[in-house]
Amino acid sequence: MSQNNHNQPRPFEIKPRRMAFDTDAPMNKYTFNNNSLVSTFFYALSALFPDGERFFIHSVRNYQNEIDDPVLLAQIRGFIGQEAHHGHSHEGLNKAIGDMGFPMQEITGRLQQRVAMLKKHLGRGRQLALTVAMEHFTASMAEFLLKNPEILDNVDLTIRNMLIWHAVEEIEHKAVAFDVFRLKVNNERMRKRVMVISMFSLFSRIAYYQFLLLKADRHFPSLKEWVEATRFFWGKKGILRDNLKSMRQFFRTGFHPWDIDQQYLITDWQQRHPEVAALQIQ
């Protein structure tokens, strides 16, 4: 089944963009409004990205040679290119975060062991289902950031620009792994079950990585930080609270990522975020 059968508008191509982010610029140690809990949440996510993105590429490539739909093949190539650039950019950001004294190499080392275990013990169908789950989560996070870019107003410019660019491309390619899964595996029970397991694992891992980051800095979050972080994640316009809406839709039988309309967020994004678009290397 190709994407053309989903009756979803796809007028844009999935285009990898090489970007020039200044990861050498000095950064505030806790860049999100000087809140250590919110900041380390995003630092932990950044630590996951390079090897996580490479795993996503691997899981899709497992099936690439079995696909003859030229549209889907072109989208797979775009997906691989975008994910590769994401991994490279976040490696630069992770080094900058590590240079501030955080144990980013220790965390990425732990993740590399985790990825090696997943490749060894999970069949390729479950590997792809895990990618589908994580791509849905990141597209949901991307939607929130692009709908509410003001939450990045006080964040270091490099991180802000990287998150905007990353969000745009996550939405552009959000359906690629899903369409490969639908075409080659098409197991609804597996798709839903892996989502539950992967979200529990993801948030457990992020929390542990946050603990390691804060422990290395010998920082104990204040009550004010806990209150602010709770509001940021779970308040009326909280990023994780907002994420739950799309999570509920994911569990509907027959769901497709483009059932959630996020296209308006990436149409003409260059005009809405010219400072980010200007960083593209031609």
Side-chain angles (χ1 to χ4, degrees), residues 133-134 137 194-204 243 247:
M134 296 307 302
F137 171 75
V194 168
M195 172 61 89
V196 173
I197 296 170
S198 64
M199 286 301 101
F200 177 80
S201 175
L202 173 68
F203 284 104
S204 299
N243 195 273
M247 284 295 167

mmCIF file of all heavy atoms in Angstrom, residues 133-134 137 194-204 243 247:
data_model
loop_
_atom_site.group_PDB
_atom_site.id
_atom_site.type_symbol
_atom_site.label_atom_id
_atom_site.label_comp_id
_atom_site.label_asym_id
_atom_site.label_seq_id
_atom_site.Cartn_x
_atom_site.Cartn_y
_atom_site.Cartn_z
ATOM 1 N N ALA A 133 6.620 4.104 16.642
ATOM 2 C CA ALA A 133 6.192 4.699 17.917
ATOM 3 C C ALA A 133 6.964 5.975 18.217
ATOM 4 O O ALA A 133 6.382 7.010 18.579
ATOM 5 C CB ALA A 133 6.371 3.684 19.044
ATOM 6 N N MET A 134 8.292 5.920 18.066
ATOM 7 C CA MET A 134 9.116 7.070 18.398
ATOM 8 C C MET A 134 8.904 8.214 17.404
ATOM 9 O O MET A 134 8.949 9.393 17.775
ATOM 10 C CB MET A 134 10.582 6.664 18.448
ATOM 11 C CG MET A 134 10.909 5.659 19.540
ATOM 12 S SD MET A 134 10.340 6.188 21.181
ATOM 13 C CE MET A 134 11.198 7.740 21.356
ATOM 14 N N PHE A 137 5.827 10.016 18.530
ATOM 15 C CA PHE A 137 6.110 10.853 19.703
ATOM 16 C C PHE A 137 6.835 12.131 19.292
ATOM 17 O O PHE A 137 6.468 13.237 19.725
ATOM 18 C CB PHE A 137 6.952 10.069 20.708
ATOM 19 C CG PHE A 137 7.481 10.905 21.839
ATOM 20 C CD1 PHE A 137 6.643 11.313 22.865
ATOM 21 C CD2 PHE A 137 8.805 11.290 21.866
ATOM 22 C CE1 PHE A 137 7.125 12.101 23.908
ATOM 23 C CE2 PHE A 137 9.299 12.073 22.904
ATOM 24 C CZ PHE A 137 8.460 12.481 23.926
ATOM 25 N N VAL A 194 3.777 -2.121 21.106
ATOM 26 C CA VAL A 194 5.129 -1.561 21.127
ATOM 27 C C VAL A 194 5.094 -0.100 21.553
ATOM 28 O O VAL A 194 6.006 0.380 22.237
ATOM 29 C CB VAL A 194 5.800 -1.737 19.750
ATOM 30 C CG1 VAL A 194 7.089 -0.916 19.653
ATOM 31 C CG2 VAL A 194 6.107 -3.213 19.514
ATOM 32 N N MET A 195 4.047 0.634 21.186
ATOM 33 C CA MET A 195 3.940 2.023 21.636
ATOM 34 C C MET A 195 3.887 2.112 23.158
ATOM 35 O O MET A 195 4.579 2.935 23.769
ATOM 36 C CB MET A 195 2.705 2.685 21.024
ATOM 37 C CG MET A 195 2.421 4.081 21.591
ATOM 38 S SD MET A 195 3.744 5.292 21.306
ATOM 39 C CE MET A 195 3.241 5.964 19.726
ATOM 40 N N VAL A 196 3.082 1.274 23.791
ATOM 41 C CA VAL A 196 2.982 1.293 25.250
ATOM 42 C C VAL A 196 4.342 1.003 25.884
ATOM 43 O O VAL A 196 4.803 1.721 26.779
ATOM 44 C CB VAL A 196 1.937 0.262 25.731
ATOM 45 C CG1 VAL A 196 1.956 0.165 27.262
ATOM 46 C CG2 VAL A 196 0.544 0.643 25.246
ATOM 47 N N ILE A 197 4.992 -0.035 25.411
ATOM 48 C CA ILE A 197 6.283 -0.426 25.974
ATOM 49 C C ILE A 197 7.333 0.660 25.730
ATOM 50 O O ILE A 197 8.104 1.012 26.622
ATOM 51 C CB ILE A 197 6.751 -1.765 25.363
ATOM 52 C CG1 ILE A 197 5.786 -2.887 25.757
ATOM 53 C CG2 ILE A 197 8.167 -2.095 25.800
ATOM 54 C CD1 ILE A 197 6.023 -4.185 25.015
ATOM 55 N N SER A 198 7.351 1.205 24.529
ATOM 56 C CA SER A 198 8.382 2.180 24.177
ATOM 57 C C SER A 198 8.206 3.481 24.955
ATOM 58 O O SER A 198 9.201 4.110 25.349
ATOM 59 C CB SER A 198 8.366 2.469 22.673
ATOM 60 O OG SER A 198 7.159 3.066 22.265
ATOM 61 N N MET A 199 6.976 3.910 25.220
ATOM 62 C CA MET A 199 6.775 5.141 25.985
ATOM 63 C C MET A 199 7.188 4.954 27.450
ATOM 64 O O MET A 199 7.797 5.834 28.050
ATOM 65 C CB MET A 199 5.314 5.587 25.906
ATOM 66 C CG MET A 199 4.925 6.176 24.561
ATOM 67 S SD MET A 199 5.897 7.642 24.076
ATOM 68 C CE MET A 199 7.072 6.912 22.905
ATOM 69 N N PHE A 200 6.879 3.798 27.999
ATOM 70 C CA PHE A 200 7.321 3.521 29.380
ATOM 71 C C PHE A 200 8.845 3.516 29.438
ATOM 72 O O PHE A 200 9.455 4.114 30.332
ATOM 73 C CB PHE A 200 6.766 2.174 29.837
ATOM 74 C CG PHE A 200 7.228 1.786 31.217
ATOM 75 C CD1 PHE A 200 6.630 2.314 32.345
ATOM 76 C CD2 PHE A 200 8.277 0.887 31.385
ATOM 77 C CE1 PHE A 200 7.068 1.971 33.627
ATOM 78 C CE2 PHE A 200 8.732 0.536 32.647
ATOM 79 C CZ PHE A 200 8.121 1.074 33.770
ATOM 80 N N SER A 201 9.468 2.861 28.478
ATOM 81 C CA SER A 201 10.929 2.793 28.446
ATOM 82 C C SER A 201 11.535 4.168 28.226
ATOM 83 O O SER A 201 12.518 4.541 28.879
ATOM 84 C CB SER A 201 11.369 1.832 27.340
ATOM 85 O OG SER A 201 12.776 1.831 27.202
ATOM 86 N N LEU A 202 10.967 4.942 27.296
ATOM 87 C CA LEU A 202 11.515 6.260 26.983
ATOM 88 C C LEU A 202 11.519 7.174 28.197
ATOM 89 O O LEU A 202 12.546 7.776 28.531
ATOM 90 C CB LEU A 202 10.704 6.897 25.850
ATOM 91 C CG LEU A 202 11.069 8.349 25.525
ATOM 92 C CD1 LEU A 202 12.466 8.434 24.925
ATOM 93 C CD2 LEU A 202 10.034 8.967 24.575
ATOM 94 N N PHE A 203 10.390 7.278 28.868
ATOM 95 C CA PHE A 203 10.311 8.230 29.979
ATOM 96 C C PHE A 203 11.088 7.743 31.199
ATOM 97 O O PHE A 203 11.633 8.560 31.951
ATOM 98 C CB PHE A 203 8.854 8.527 30.312
ATOM 99 C CG PHE A 203 8.214 9.454 29.312
ATOM 100 C CD1 PHE A 203 7.344 8.971 28.350
ATOM 101 C CD2 PHE A 203 8.526 10.800 29.305
ATOM 102 C CE1 PHE A 203 6.788 9.814 27.412
ATOM 103 C CE2 PHE A 203 7.974 11.663 28.374
ATOM 104 C CZ PHE A 203 7.096 11.168 27.418
ATOM 105 N N SER A 204 11.179 6.448 31.370
ATOM 106 C CA SER A 204 12.026 5.922 32.443
ATOM 107 C C SER A 204 13.487 6.264 32.167
ATOM 108 O O SER A 204 14.236 6.684 33.058
ATOM 109 C CB SER A 204 11.867 4.404 32.557
ATOM 110 O OG SER A 204 10.547 4.055 32.868
ATOM 111 N N ASN A 243 0.706 16.303 24.234
ATOM 112 C CA ASN A 243 1.136 15.094 23.532
ATOM 113 C C ASN A 243 0.139 13.947 23.692
ATOM 114 O O ASN A 243 0.016 13.097 22.804
ATOM 115 C CB ASN A 243 2.518 14.685 24.060
ATOM 116 C CG ASN A 243 3.225 13.689 23.177
ATOM 117 O OD1 ASN A 243 3.025 12.503 23.337
ATOM 118 N ND2 ASN A 243 4.033 14.178 22.256
ATOM 119 N N MET A 247 -1.436 10.812 21.192
ATOM 120 C CA MET A 247 -1.216 9.434 21.637
ATOM 121 C C MET A 247 -2.518 8.652 21.620
ATOM 122 O O MET A 247 -2.568 7.490 21.207
ATOM 123 C CB MET A 247 -0.617 9.430 23.050
ATOM 124 C CG MET A 247 0.841 9.794 23.097
ATOM 125 S SD MET A 247 1.862 8.560 22.256
ATOM 126 C CE MET A 247 3.409 9.445 22.147
#
